[in-house]
Amino acid sequence: MSRSDTNVAPSNRLARRDLMKLTGVGAAALAASSLFNPSDAKASTMETQTTSGWDKVFPQSDKVDHQKVMFKNRYGITLAGDLYLPKVRTDHPLAALVVSGPFGAVKEQSSGLYAQTMAERGFATLAFDPSFTGESGGAPRNVASPDINTEDFSAAVDFLGLHPSVDRERIGVIGICGWGGMALNAVAVDKRVKAVVAVTMYDMTRVMSKGYNDSVTREQRTQTLEQLSRQRWEDAAAGTPAYQPPYNVLQGGEPQFMVDYADYYMTPRGYHPRAVNSGNAWTQTTPLSFMNMPLLAYIQEIAPRPVLLIHGEKAHSRYFSETAYAAAAEPKELMIIPGASHVDLYDRLDVIPFDRLVEFFGRALSQ
């Protein structure tokens, strides 16, 4: 165990910036994949098909074997993933890691980079697209659910536990950004997982229901719920959900963390056309299921399995990991990366502490 160091005004409209302020949705750069146009009824109901070839935002490693895979979650939704295996391996089953996130990203971005890098270090890894996003199935497109997306992690554990290259008794989980909170929630209930890491973590239920730094008042929360509830009638009348305006399209005057998001999701550094965050949008009513579900209520039940929380010293979101660390039971560790921002931990190979991840999972998954 160890610990290293260290206003949002309401509005009467459902504009992008207003929802960001009232619910914190904008914090995760919520956004609808350009591959699935919400106005296209056929696209909004189809099951997805995976692409062929390498379409990641990071280069392919010659030290790893890569395979596209598909599997179903407990709700029957088909999930798409990328399986990475060390190219040099024996017949002995490998320790394995499930990886997903950030919230609104796809497996071709940060989670895939983490998965491929950890496979280079000797683990079998699976990066996946959550339900309703990327190449995974589910309709309508680009909607999120704290329940279903928590289940997605366990479905990935199902898949790895049946794979012949994997020792099912040695499976860990890595969740990034908003999927860090989902990962912690999943591991609290799924006792098959032996260890969990949450990197640059967001508790999406907290930020959507309370805003940044819990600044949203009861009156503001009620106003947001009134607006979102009435939006349901409009969606029902239209027969299709309304979508928010594009995310990470800067208009000027945004806080630095929003500029950082755009620098990742809207530039060659991290742009991907299937990513919700790359200039697309979630459904307007996505926040509803997050508003009254405290995601980390049972974080203490991860114990006695170890928890590692990793966050940047300068990240606007650092308080999420600090309060999660305080609430978790031993064994636990909070690792603060000096000088790092929230987005630095998405893809900066000189900032992400991969050696520490290898050490942590190597010990936790040794038996």
Side-chain angles (χ1 to χ4, degrees), residues 12 15 23 32 44 48 63 72 110 124 146 154 241 255 313 317 319 331 337:
N12 293 322
T23 68
S44 68
T48 65
K63 300 177 182 178
K72 288 186 181 294
S110 182
S154 289
E313 176 190 15
S317 53
Y319 72 97
I337 307 300

Side-chain angles (χ1 to χ4, degrees), residues 134-212:
E135 293 184 310
S136 288
R141 301 306 300 168
N142 300 330
V143 63
S145 159
D147 177 26
I148 296 175
N149 296 141
T150 292
E151 156 61 22
D152 290 340
F153 274 102
S154 289
V157 174
D158 294 343
F159 175 86
L160 284 178
L162 298 178
H163 196 281
S165 295
V166 170
D167 181 349
R168 67 166 59 179
E169 301 303 326
R170 295 193 295 150
I171 297 177
V173 163
I174 299 174
I176 305 164
C177 187
W179 254 253
M182 302 287 190
L184 294 170
N185 192 42
V187 177
V189 72
D190 194 333
K191 303 304 182 182
R192 300 171 299 174
V193 180
K194 298 301 190 292
V196 58
V197 172
V199 182
T200 200
M201 190 271 287
Y202 258 71
D203 176 349
M204 294 308 302
T205 55
R206 181 179 178 184
V207 75
M208 288 197 194
S209 62
K210 298 181 179 180
Y212 281 111

Side-chain angles (χ1 to χ4, degrees), residues 288-359:
L288 278 172
S289 61
F290 290 81
M291 294 289 278
N292 64 348
M293 181 179 290
L295 195 64
L296 300 183
Y298 295 95
I299 190 172
Q300 288 191 335
E301 295 189 11
I302 296 174
R305 297 160 297 160
V307 176
L308 172 60
L309 301 163
I310 301 173
H311 227 105
E313 176 190 15
K314 296 183 177 180
H316 68 285
S317 53
R318 175 175 162 179
Y319 72 97
F320 289 117
S321 284
E322 291 176 332
T323 54
Y325 173 82
E330 298 288 355
K332 60 182 178 179
E333 178 182 354
L334 174 60
M335 182 178 188
I336 301 297
I337 307 300
S341 70
H342 179 90
V343 176
D344 284 340
L345 289 167
Y346 284 6
D347 67 335
R348 299 300 192 196
L349 296 178
D350 59 336
V351 174
I352 301 168
F354 281 113
D355 288 345
R356 180 69 188 97
L357 290 174
V358 171
E359 178 187 6

Side-chain angles (χ1 to χ4, degrees), residues 32-45 140-142 238-244 281 283:
S33 169
S34 59
L35 182 65
F36 298 95
N37 187 334
S39 65
D40 186 333
K42 179 178 179 181
S44 68
T45 58
R141 301 306 300 168
N142 300 330
T240 186
Y243 285 77
Q244 300 171 22
T283 65

Side-chain angles (χ1 to χ4, degrees), residues 62-82:
D62 60 5
K63 300 177 182 178
V64 171
D65 290 328
H66 164 257
Q67 178 187 359
K68 285 285 190 77
V69 298
M70 302 187 81
F71 53 97
K72 288 186 181 294
N73 69 13
R74 189 165 54 89
Y75 296 102
I77 299 171
T78 299
L79 303 182
D82 286 303

